[in-house]
Amino acid sequence: MNSQSKILIVDDEPIVREVVAQYLTQDGFSVALAADGIEAMTSFSASRPDLVLLDLMLPGIDGLEVCRRIRSQSNV
């Protein structure tokens, strides 16, 4: 993965999203954020990230289901 790679961070804890995003942005990555499973799927479709950092315990659609849906349309 190079420094132009896109990363989607999915976590329902705002501080976790922000801290991880800050470090990745400083390292040159493009970062998208999502707070729940529904937002994760919307953001994934819009940004087509190279990597998804995914919390399993999410409101709405849980992380395992988000992973299944992403994997059904991508090898990310």
Side-chain angles (χ1 to χ4, degrees), residues 25-42:
T25 302
Q26 287 175 353
D27 284 341
F29 294 96
S30 173
V31 175
L33 304 174
D36 59 43
I38 296 168
E39 192 177 336
M41 292 308 303
T42 301

Side-chain angles (χ1 to χ4, degrees), residues 41-65:
M41 292 308 303
T42 301
S43 184
F44 180 81
S45 295
S47 66
R48 301 305 285 189
D50 301 296
L51 175 72
V52 178
L53 298 177
L54 180 61
D55 184 13
L56 295 179
M57 301 292 290
L58 296 171
I61 305 170
D62 69 44
L64 288 175
E65 182 59 26

Side-chain angles (χ1 to χ4, degrees), residues 7-26 31-37 39-40 43 53-55 57-59:
I7 301 175
L8 172 59
I9 301 168
V10 185
D11 200 299
D12 58 335
E13 295 291 331
I15 192 72
V16 172
R17 285 192 313 269
E18 294 303 322
V19 169
V20 174
Q22 183 178 21
Y23 280 108
L24 291 171
T25 302
Q26 287 175 353
V31 175
L33 304 174
D36 59 43
E39 192 177 336
S43 184
L53 298 177
L54 180 61
D55 184 13
M57 301 292 290
L58 296 171

